[in-house]
Amino acid sequence: QVQLVESGGGSVQAGGSLRLACVVSGYNYTTYCMGWFRQAPGKGREGVATIHTPGGSTDYADSVKGRFTISQDSAKKTLYLQMNSLRPEDTAIYYCAAAPGLYFGYCKSGNSGRFDAWGQGTQVTVSS
């Protein structure tokens, strides 16, 4: 049974940085897609970034390109999201998700429906 546990959320001022982490357990696939998604109050779920294994190809939502970086440490089975130059509109609950066996061409931030394992989320609040 796959389990995803996020951490690293918090409250920061605009322009600040946060680093989210997601520890994965019960996951033994060699091909998979991992992603970060977020949901702001009163809004639908939005894809933020994805990363594919093997190969490490990444995809980002236009709203976070140049500010956020997704990465992973396979040895630690941990997914990261480095968030810089945070804006108030980045305020949301951030979720990590996994899609085992997903072809890299479908490993996109806009394909949330392809992900079948989700964490419980971590709150990020950015004040102006």
Side-chain angles (χ1 to χ4, degrees):
Q1 182 178 355
V2 178
Q3 287 191 319
L4 309 172
V5 179
E6 304 97 334
S7 63
S11 297
V12 296
Q13 289 191 324
S17 298
L18 283 173
R19 187 194 195 201
L20 305 183
C22 173
V23 178
V24 184
S25 61
Y27 206 71
N28 295 309
Y29 298 91
T30 56
T31 298
Y32 53 90
C33 177
M34 298 290 297
W36 288 99
F37 298 83
R38 66 187 181 185
Q39 187 163 16
K43 295 187 177 182
R45 185 169 56 196
E46 175 190 19
V48 176
T50 56
I51 185 167
H52 191 261
T53 298
S57 60
T58 58
D59 180 70
Y60 294 91
D62 288 343
S63 59
V64 305
K65 281 181 181 176
R67 301 188 298 123
F68 291 10
T69 302
I70 188 171
S71 63
Q72 62 184 347
D73 184 328
S74 297
K76 295 182 179 179
K77 293 190 176 182
T78 302
L79 178 73
Y80 300 100
L81 184 69
Q82 178 66 45
M83 305 185 294
N84 298 328
S85 301
L86 282 161
R87 304 167 180 169
E89 53 264 38
D90 294 319
T91 295
I93 299 175
Y94 284 71
Y95 301 89
C96 71
L102 187 65
Y103 171 62
F104 80 93
Y106 296 128
C107 185
K108 304 294 184 184
S109 58
N111 287 347
S112 63
R114 299 276 188 172
F115 292 77
D116 54 14
W118 294 81
Q120 82 290 348
T122 185
Q123 176 71 47
V124 171
T125 303
V126 185
S127 57
S128 57

Short mmCIF file of all heavy atoms in Angstrom, two decimals, residues 8-69:
data_model
loop_
_atom_site.label_atom_id
_atom_site.label_comp_id
_atom_site.label_asym_id
_atom_site.label_seq_id
_atom_site.Cartn_x
_atom_site.Cartn_y
_atom_site.Cartn_z
N GLY A 8 6.69 20.43 5.54
CA GLY A 8 7.41 21.62 5.10
C GLY A 8 6.55 22.84 4.85
O GLY A 8 7.07 23.92 4.54
N GLY A 9 5.24 22.68 4.95
CA GLY A 9 4.39 23.84 4.74
C GLY A 9 4.53 24.84 5.88
O GLY A 9 5.17 24.57 6.90
N GLY A 10 3.94 26.02 5.71
CA GLY A 10 4.01 27.03 6.75
C GLY A 10 3.55 28.37 6.22
O GLY A 10 2.94 28.45 5.16
N SER A 11 3.85 29.41 7.00
CA SER A 11 3.46 30.76 6.63
C SER A 11 4.70 31.59 6.37
O SER A 11 5.64 31.59 7.18
CB SER A 11 2.65 31.39 7.77
OG SER A 11 1.45 30.69 7.99
N VAL A 12 4.70 32.29 5.24
CA VAL A 12 5.83 33.16 4.87
C VAL A 12 5.29 34.44 4.28
O VAL A 12 4.13 34.51 3.84
CB VAL A 12 6.78 32.48 3.86
CG1 VAL A 12 7.44 31.27 4.46
CG2 VAL A 12 6.03 32.11 2.59
N GLN A 13 6.14 35.43 4.20
CA GLN A 13 5.78 36.67 3.53
C GLN A 13 6.10 36.55 2.05
O GLN A 13 6.94 35.75 1.63
CB GLN A 13 6.54 37.83 4.15
CG GLN A 13 6.06 38.18 5.56
CD GLN A 13 6.64 39.50 6.04
OE1 GLN A 13 7.78 39.83 5.73
NE2 GLN A 13 5.87 40.24 6.81
N ALA A 14 5.43 37.37 1.27
CA ALA A 14 5.67 37.39 -0.17
C ALA A 14 7.15 37.61 -0.44
O ALA A 14 7.80 38.43 0.22
CB ALA A 14 4.84 38.49 -0.82
N GLY A 15 7.67 36.86 -1.41
CA GLY A 15 9.08 36.92 -1.73
C GLY A 15 9.92 35.89 -1.01
O GLY A 15 11.09 35.68 -1.36
N GLY A 16 9.32 35.23 -0.03
CA GLY A 16 10.03 34.24 0.75
C GLY A 16 10.09 32.89 0.06
O GLY A 16 9.61 32.72 -1.07
N SER A 17 10.67 31.92 0.76
CA SER A 17 10.86 30.57 0.21
C SER A 17 10.40 29.51 1.20
O SER A 17 10.44 29.73 2.42
CB SER A 17 12.34 30.33 -0.12
OG SER A 17 12.80 31.22 -1.10
N LEU A 18 10.00 28.38 0.66
CA LEU A 18 9.68 27.20 1.43
C LEU A 18 10.11 25.98 0.64
O LEU A 18 10.14 26.02 -0.59
CB LEU A 18 8.18 27.09 1.72
CG LEU A 18 7.58 27.96 2.82
CD1 LEU A 18 6.06 27.81 2.82
CD2 LEU A 18 8.14 27.62 4.18
N ARG A 19 10.41 24.90 1.35
CA ARG A 19 10.73 23.64 0.70
C ARG A 19 9.82 22.56 1.24
O ARG A 19 9.85 22.26 2.43
CB ARG A 19 12.19 23.25 0.96
CG ARG A 19 12.66 22.04 0.17
CD ARG A 19 13.95 21.52 0.73
NE ARG A 19 14.63 20.60 -0.16
CZ ARG A 19 15.56 19.73 0.25
NH1 ARG A 19 15.90 19.68 1.52
NH2 ARG A 19 16.14 18.94 -0.62
N LEU A 20 9.00 22.02 0.36
CA LEU A 20 8.11 20.93 0.74
C LEU A 20 8.81 19.59 0.49
O LEU A 20 9.61 19.46 -0.42
CB LEU A 20 6.82 20.98 -0.07
CG LEU A 20 6.04 22.29 -0.02
CD1 LEU A 20 4.73 22.14 -0.81
CD2 LEU A 20 5.75 22.73 1.39
N ALA A 21 8.48 18.62 1.32
CA ALA A 21 8.99 17.27 1.15
C ALA A 21 7.84 16.28 1.22
O ALA A 21 6.85 16.51 1.90
CB ALA A 21 10.04 16.95 2.23
N CYS A 22 8.00 15.17 0.52
CA CYS A 22 6.99 14.12 0.50
C CYS A 22 7.71 12.78 0.59
O CYS A 22 8.43 12.41 -0.35
CB CYS A 22 6.15 14.20 -0.76
SG CYS A 22 4.99 12.83 -0.99
N VAL A 23 7.55 12.10 1.69
CA VAL A 23 8.16 10.78 1.87
C VAL A 23 7.21 9.71 1.36
O VAL A 23 6.03 9.69 1.74
CB VAL A 23 8.52 10.54 3.34
CG1 VAL A 23 9.11 9.15 3.52
CG2 VAL A 23 9.50 11.60 3.83
N VAL A 24 7.75 8.82 0.53
CA VAL A 24 6.95 7.78 -0.10
C VAL A 24 7.31 6.42 0.49
O VAL A 24 8.49 6.11 0.65
CB VAL A 24 7.21 7.75 -1.62
CG1 VAL A 24 6.31 6.73 -2.30
CG2 VAL A 24 7.01 9.14 -2.22
N SER A 25 6.32 5.64 0.83
CA SER A 25 6.56 4.28 1.31
C SER A 25 5.64 3.31 0.59
O SER A 25 4.60 3.71 0.06
CB SER A 25 6.35 4.20 2.82
OG SER A 25 5.02 4.53 3.16
N GLY A 26 6.05 2.04 0.59
CA GLY A 26 5.25 1.02 -0.06
C GLY A 26 5.22 1.13 -1.56
O GLY A 26 4.28 0.67 -2.21
N TYR A 27 6.29 1.71 -2.13
CA TYR A 27 6.31 2.02 -3.56
C TYR A 27 7.58 1.41 -4.15
O TYR A 27 8.67 1.83 -3.86
CB TYR A 27 6.33 3.53 -3.73
CG TYR A 27 5.76 4.05 -5.02
CD1 TYR A 27 4.40 4.00 -5.25
CD2 TYR A 27 6.57 4.61 -5.99
CE1 TYR A 27 3.86 4.49 -6.42
CE2 TYR A 27 6.04 5.11 -7.15
CZ TYR A 27 4.68 5.05 -7.36
OH TYR A 27 4.14 5.56 -8.53
N ASN A 28 7.41 0.41 -5.03
CA ASN A 28 8.59 -0.28 -5.56
C ASN A 28 8.60 -0.32 -7.09
O ASN A 28 9.11 -1.25 -7.69
CB ASN A 28 8.64 -1.71 -5.01
CG ASN A 28 8.86 -1.71 -3.51
OD1 ASN A 28 9.78 -1.07 -3.01
ND2 ASN A 28 8.01 -2.43 -2.79
N TYR A 29 8.05 0.68 -7.72
CA TYR A 29 8.03 0.74 -9.17
C TYR A 29 9.33 1.35 -9.70
O TYR A 29 9.94 2.20 -9.06
CB TYR A 29 6.84 1.59 -9.64
CG TYR A 29 5.51 1.01 -9.25
CD1 TYR A 29 4.90 1.37 -8.05
CD2 TYR A 29 4.86 0.09 -10.07
CE1 TYR A 29 3.68 0.84 -7.69
CE2 TYR A 29 3.65 -0.45 -9.71
CZ TYR A 29 3.06 -0.08 -8.52
OH TYR A 29 1.86 -0.61 -8.15
N THR A 30 9.73 0.94 -10.88
CA THR A 30 10.92 1.50 -11.51
C THR A 30 10.55 2.59 -12.50
O THR A 30 11.40 3.39 -12.88
CB THR A 30 11.73 0.41 -12.22
OG1 THR A 30 10.89 -0.25 -13.18
CG2 THR A 30 12.25 -0.61 -11.22
N THR A 31 9.32 2.60 -12.94
CA THR A 31 8.82 3.66 -13.82
C THR A 31 7.61 4.30 -13.15
O THR A 31 6.65 3.62 -12.81
CB THR A 31 8.40 3.10 -15.19
OG1 THR A 31 9.53 2.52 -15.84
CG2 THR A 31 7.81 4.21 -16.06
N TYR A 32 7.68 5.60 -12.96
CA TYR A 32 6.56 6.27 -12.30
C TYR A 32 6.66 7.77 -12.50
O TYR A 32 7.70 8.30 -12.88
CB TYR A 32 6.52 5.94 -10.80
CG TYR A 32 7.81 6.20 -10.06
CD1 TYR A 32 8.06 7.44 -9.48
CD2 TYR A 32 8.77 5.20 -9.92
CE1 TYR A 32 9.23 7.68 -8.80
CE2 TYR A 32 9.94 5.44 -9.25
CZ TYR A 32 10.17 6.67 -8.68
OH TYR A 32 11.33 6.91 -8.01
N CYS A 33 5.58 8.42 -12.21
CA CYS A 33 5.50 9.87 -12.25
C CYS A 33 5.10 10.35 -10.85
O CYS A 33 4.19 9.77 -10.23
CB CYS A 33 4.47 10.30 -13.28
SG CYS A 33 4.19 12.07 -13.39
N MET A 34 5.78 11.36 -10.37
CA MET A 34 5.44 11.98 -9.10
C MET A 34 5.10 13.45 -9.36
O MET A 34 5.67 14.07 -10.26
CB MET A 34 6.61 11.91 -8.12
CG MET A 34 7.03 10.50 -7.75
SD MET A 34 5.83 9.65 -6.72
CE MET A 34 5.82 10.69 -5.26
N GLY A 35 4.18 13.97 -8.59
CA GLY A 35 3.79 15.35 -8.82
C GLY A 35 3.37 16.09 -7.58
O GLY A 35 3.07 15.48 -6.54
N TRP A 36 3.36 17.40 -7.70
CA TRP A 36 2.81 18.30 -6.68
C TRP A 36 1.60 19.00 -7.26
O TRP A 36 1.64 19.49 -8.40
CB TRP A 36 3.85 19.34 -6.25
CG TRP A 36 4.95 18.79 -5.41
CD1 TRP A 36 6.20 18.43 -5.82
CD2 TRP A 36 4.91 18.52 -4.00
NE1 TRP A 36 6.94 17.95 -4.76
CE2 TRP A 36 6.16 18.01 -3.63
CE3 TRP A 36 3.93 18.68 -3.02
CZ2 TRP A 36 6.47 17.65 -2.31
CZ3 TRP A 36 4.23 18.32 -1.71
CH2 TRP A 36 5.49 17.82 -1.37
N PHE A 37 0.56 19.06 -6.47
CA PHE A 37 -0.67 19.73 -6.85
C PHE A 37 -1.08 20.64 -5.70
O PHE A 37 -0.59 20.48 -4.58
CB PHE A 37 -1.76 18.69 -7.15
CG PHE A 37 -1.42 17.78 -8.29
CD1 PHE A 37 -0.60 16.66 -8.09
CD2 PHE A 37 -1.87 18.05 -9.57
CE1 PHE A 37 -0.25 15.83 -9.14
CE2 PHE A 37 -1.52 17.22 -10.63
CZ PHE A 37 -0.71 16.12 -10.42
N ARG A 38 -1.96 21.57 -5.98
CA ARG A 38 -2.41 22.45 -4.91
C ARG A 38 -3.87 22.81 -5.09
O ARG A 38 -4.40 22.75 -6.20
CB ARG A 38 -1.55 23.72 -4.86
CG ARG A 38 -1.69 24.64 -6.08
CD ARG A 38 -0.68 25.77 -6.00
NE ARG A 38 -0.79 26.69 -7.14
CZ ARG A 38 0.04 27.71 -7.35
NH1 ARG A 38 1.07 27.93 -6.53
NH2 ARG A 38 -0.14 28.50 -8.40
N GLN A 39 -4.49 23.18 -3.98
CA GLN A 39 -5.88 23.60 -4.02
C GLN A 39 -6.06 24.79 -3.09
O GLN A 39 -5.83 24.67 -1.88
CB GLN A 39 -6.83 22.47 -3.63
CG GLN A 39 -8.30 22.83 -3.81
CD GLN A 39 -9.20 21.63 -3.82
OE1 GLN A 39 -8.82 20.54 -3.42
NE2 GLN A 39 -10.42 21.80 -4.33
N ALA A 40 -6.42 25.92 -3.67
CA ALA A 40 -6.66 27.13 -2.90
C ALA A 40 -8.12 27.16 -2.44
O ALA A 40 -8.97 26.50 -3.05
CB ALA A 40 -6.35 28.35 -3.75
N PRO A 41 -8.43 27.91 -1.41
CA PRO A 41 -9.81 27.98 -0.92
C PRO A 41 -10.77 28.42 -2.02
O PRO A 41 -10.52 29.41 -2.72
CB PRO A 41 -9.73 29.04 0.19
CG PRO A 41 -8.33 29.00 0.66
CD PRO A 41 -7.52 28.69 -0.56
N GLY A 42 -11.83 27.65 -2.20
CA GLY A 42 -12.84 28.00 -3.18
C GLY A 42 -12.46 27.73 -4.62
O GLY A 42 -13.20 28.09 -5.55
N LYS A 43 -11.32 27.07 -4.83
CA LYS A 43 -10.87 26.79 -6.19
C LYS A 43 -10.65 25.30 -6.38
O LYS A 43 -10.57 24.54 -5.43
CB LYS A 43 -9.57 27.56 -6.49
CG LYS A 43 -9.73 29.07 -6.49
CD LYS A 43 -8.45 29.75 -6.95
CE LYS A 43 -8.63 31.26 -7.03
NZ LYS A 43 -7.39 31.93 -7.52
N GLY A 44 -10.54 24.91 -7.64
CA GLY A 44 -10.29 23.52 -7.95
C GLY A 44 -8.82 23.17 -7.80
O GLY A 44 -7.97 24.03 -7.60
N ARG A 45 -8.53 21.88 -7.90
CA ARG A 45 -7.16 21.41 -7.79
C ARG A 45 -6.36 21.84 -9.01
O ARG A 45 -6.84 21.75 -10.14
CB ARG A 45 -7.14 19.90 -7.65
CG ARG A 45 -5.77 19.30 -7.41
CD ARG A 45 -5.90 17.85 -7.01
NE ARG A 45 -6.63 17.09 -8.01
CZ ARG A 45 -7.15 15.88 -7.79
NH1 ARG A 45 -7.04 15.33 -6.60
NH2 ARG A 45 -7.78 15.24 -8.75
N GLU A 46 -5.14 22.28 -8.78
CA GLU A 46 -4.27 22.78 -9.85
C GLU A 46 -2.94 22.02 -9.84
O GLU A 46 -2.35 21.83 -8.78
CB GLU A 46 -4.00 24.28 -9.64
CG GLU A 46 -3.01 24.88 -10.61
CD GLU A 46 -2.59 26.29 -10.23
OE1 GLU A 46 -2.77 26.68 -9.06
OE2 GLU A 46 -2.08 27.00 -11.11
N GLY A 47 -2.51 21.60 -11.00
CA GLY A 47 -1.21 20.96 -11.09
C GLY A 47 -0.10 21.99 -10.93
O GLY A 47 -0.21 23.10 -11.45
N VAL A 48 0.95 21.62 -10.24
CA VAL A 48 2.08 22.52 -10.00
C VAL A 48 3.31 22.05 -10.77
O VAL A 48 3.89 22.80 -11.55
CB VAL A 48 2.39 22.64 -8.49
CG1 VAL A 48 3.63 23.51 -8.27
CG2 VAL A 48 1.20 23.20 -7.73
N ALA A 49 3.73 20.82 -10.51
CA ALA A 49 4.94 20.30 -11.16
C ALA A 49 4.93 18.78 -11.11
O ALA A 49 4.35 18.19 -10.19
CB ALA A 49 6.19 20.84 -10.47
N THR A 50 5.58 18.16 -12.09
CA THR A 50 5.72 16.71 -12.11
C THR A 50 7.15 16.35 -12.48
O THR A 50 7.86 17.14 -13.11
CB THR A 50 4.76 16.05 -13.12
OG1 THR A 50 4.99 16.62 -14.41
CG2 THR A 50 3.31 16.26 -12.72
N ILE A 51 7.53 15.12 -12.10
CA ILE A 51 8.85 14.60 -12.45
C ILE A 51 8.70 13.11 -12.74
O ILE A 51 7.99 12.39 -12.03
CB ILE A 51 9.87 14.87 -11.33
CG1 ILE A 51 11.27 14.43 -11.75
CG2 ILE A 51 9.46 14.20 -10.02
CD1 ILE A 51 12.37 14.96 -10.83
N HIS A 52 9.38 12.65 -13.79
CA HIS A 52 9.25 11.26 -14.22
C HIS A 52 10.53 10.48 -13.92
O HIS A 52 11.63 11.01 -14.01
CB HIS A 52 8.96 11.19 -15.72
CG HIS A 52 8.56 9.84 -16.19
ND1 HIS A 52 9.46 8.98 -16.79
CD2 HIS A 52 7.38 9.19 -16.13
CE1 HIS A 52 8.84 7.85 -17.08
NE2 HIS A 52 7.58 7.95 -16.70
N THR A 53 10.33 9.23 -13.56
CA THR A 53 11.44 8.29 -13.35
C THR A 53 11.21 7.07 -14.21
O THR A 53 10.10 6.52 -14.20
CB THR A 53 11.51 7.87 -11.87
OG1 THR A 53 11.77 9.01 -11.08
CG2 THR A 53 12.60 6.84 -11.64
N PRO A 54 12.22 6.58 -14.96
CA PRO A 54 13.57 7.13 -15.05
C PRO A 54 13.64 8.32 -15.99
O PRO A 54 12.67 8.63 -16.66
CB PRO A 54 14.36 5.95 -15.64
CG PRO A 54 13.35 5.25 -16.49
CD PRO A 54 12.04 5.37 -15.76
N GLY A 55 14.74 8.97 -16.01
CA GLY A 55 14.96 10.08 -16.94
C GLY A 55 14.94 11.44 -16.28
O GLY A 55 15.71 12.32 -16.64
N GLY A 56 14.03 11.64 -15.32
CA GLY A 56 13.98 12.89 -14.61
C GLY A 56 13.34 14.05 -15.34
O GLY A 56 13.50 15.21 -14.95
N SER A 57 12.57 13.76 -16.41
CA SER A 57 11.91 14.86 -17.12
C SER A 57 10.90 15.55 -16.20
O SER A 57 10.23 14.89 -15.40
CB SER A 57 11.22 14.36 -18.38
OG SER A 57 10.24 13.40 -18.06
N THR A 58 10.81 16.86 -16.32
CA THR A 58 9.94 17.64 -15.45
C THR A 58 8.95 18.46 -16.26
O THR A 58 9.17 18.74 -17.45
CB THR A 58 10.74 18.58 -14.54
OG1 THR A 58 11.54 19.45 -15.35
CG2 THR A 58 11.64 17.80 -13.60
N ASP A 59 7.89 18.85 -15.60
CA ASP A 59 6.88 19.71 -16.21
C ASP A 59 6.37 20.66 -15.13
O ASP A 59 6.19 20.25 -13.98
CB ASP A 59 5.72 18.88 -16.76
CG ASP A 59 4.65 19.73 -17.41
OD1 ASP A 59 4.93 20.28 -18.49
OD2 ASP A 59 3.55 19.87 -16.84
N TYR A 60 6.15 21.91 -15.50
CA TYR A 60 5.69 22.92 -14.55
C TYR A 60 4.48 23.68 -15.09
O TYR A 60 4.38 23.93 -16.29
CB TYR A 60 6.80 23.93 -14.27
CG TYR A 60 8.00 23.37 -13.56
CD1 TYR A 60 9.08 22.86 -14.27
CD2 TYR A 60 8.06 23.35 -12.18
CE1 TYR A 60 10.19 22.33 -13.63
CE2 TYR A 60 9.16 22.83 -11.51
CZ TYR A 60 10.22 22.33 -12.24
OH TYR A 60 11.31 21.82 -11.58
N ALA A 61 3.62 24.06 -14.18
CA ALA A 61 2.55 24.98 -14.55
C ALA A 61 3.17 26.33 -14.87
O ALA A 61 4.18 26.73 -14.28
CB ALA A 61 1.56 25.12 -13.39
N ASP A 62 2.57 27.05 -15.83
CA ASP A 62 3.11 28.34 -16.22
C ASP A 62 3.22 29.30 -15.04
O ASP A 62 4.13 30.12 -14.97
CB ASP A 62 2.23 28.97 -17.30
CG ASP A 62 2.36 28.26 -18.64
OD1 ASP A 62 3.35 27.52 -18.83
OD2 ASP A 62 1.48 28.44 -19.50
N SER A 63 2.30 29.18 -14.10
CA SER A 63 2.25 30.10 -12.96
C SER A 63 3.44 29.96 -12.01
O SER A 63 3.68 30.86 -11.19
CB SER A 63 0.94 29.91 -12.19
OG SER A 63 0.84 28.58 -11.73
N VAL A 64 4.17 28.84 -12.10
CA VAL A 64 5.28 28.63 -11.16
C VAL A 64 6.63 28.49 -11.86
O VAL A 64 7.66 28.37 -11.18
CB VAL A 64 5.04 27.39 -10.28
CG1 VAL A 64 3.70 27.49 -9.56
CG2 VAL A 64 5.14 26.09 -11.07
N LYS A 65 6.63 28.50 -13.18
CA LYS A 65 7.90 28.35 -13.91
C LYS A 65 8.88 29.44 -13.52
O LYS A 65 8.54 30.61 -13.42
CB LYS A 65 7.63 28.41 -15.42
CG LYS A 65 7.10 27.12 -16.00
CD LYS A 65 6.87 27.24 -17.50
CE LYS A 65 6.32 25.95 -18.08
NZ LYS A 65 5.99 26.07 -19.50
N GLY A 66 10.13 29.02 -13.27
CA GLY A 66 11.16 29.96 -12.90
C GLY A 66 11.21 30.26 -11.40
O GLY A 66 12.15 30.90 -10.93
N ARG A 67 10.17 29.82 -10.66
CA ARG A 67 10.13 30.07 -9.22
C ARG A 67 10.18 28.78 -8.40
O ARG A 67 10.76 28.76 -7.33
CB ARG A 67 8.85 30.83 -8.86
CG ARG A 67 8.70 32.17 -9.54
CD ARG A 67 7.52 32.95 -8.99
NE ARG A 67 6.24 32.28 -9.19
CZ ARG A 67 5.40 31.95 -8.21
NH1 ARG A 67 5.70 32.22 -6.96
NH2 ARG A 67 4.25 31.35 -8.50
N PHE A 68 9.55 27.72 -8.91
CA PHE A 68 9.49 26.44 -8.20
C PHE A 68 10.38 25.42 -8.90
O PHE A 68 10.52 25.44 -10.13
CB PHE A 68 8.07 25.90 -8.18
CG PHE A 68 7.10 26.68 -7.32
CD1 PHE A 68 7.41 27.92 -6.78
CD2 PHE A 68 5.84 26.16 -7.06
CE1 PHE A 68 6.52 28.61 -6.00
CE2 PHE A 68 4.92 26.85 -6.29
CZ PHE A 68 5.28 28.09 -5.76
N THR A 69 10.94 24.50 -8.11
CA THR A 69 11.74 23.41 -8.66
C THR A 69 11.35 22.10 -8.00
O THR A 69 11.38 22.00 -6.76
CB THR A 69 13.24 23.66 -8.43
OG1 THR A 69 13.62 24.91 -9.03
CG2 THR A 69 14.07 22.54 -9.07
#
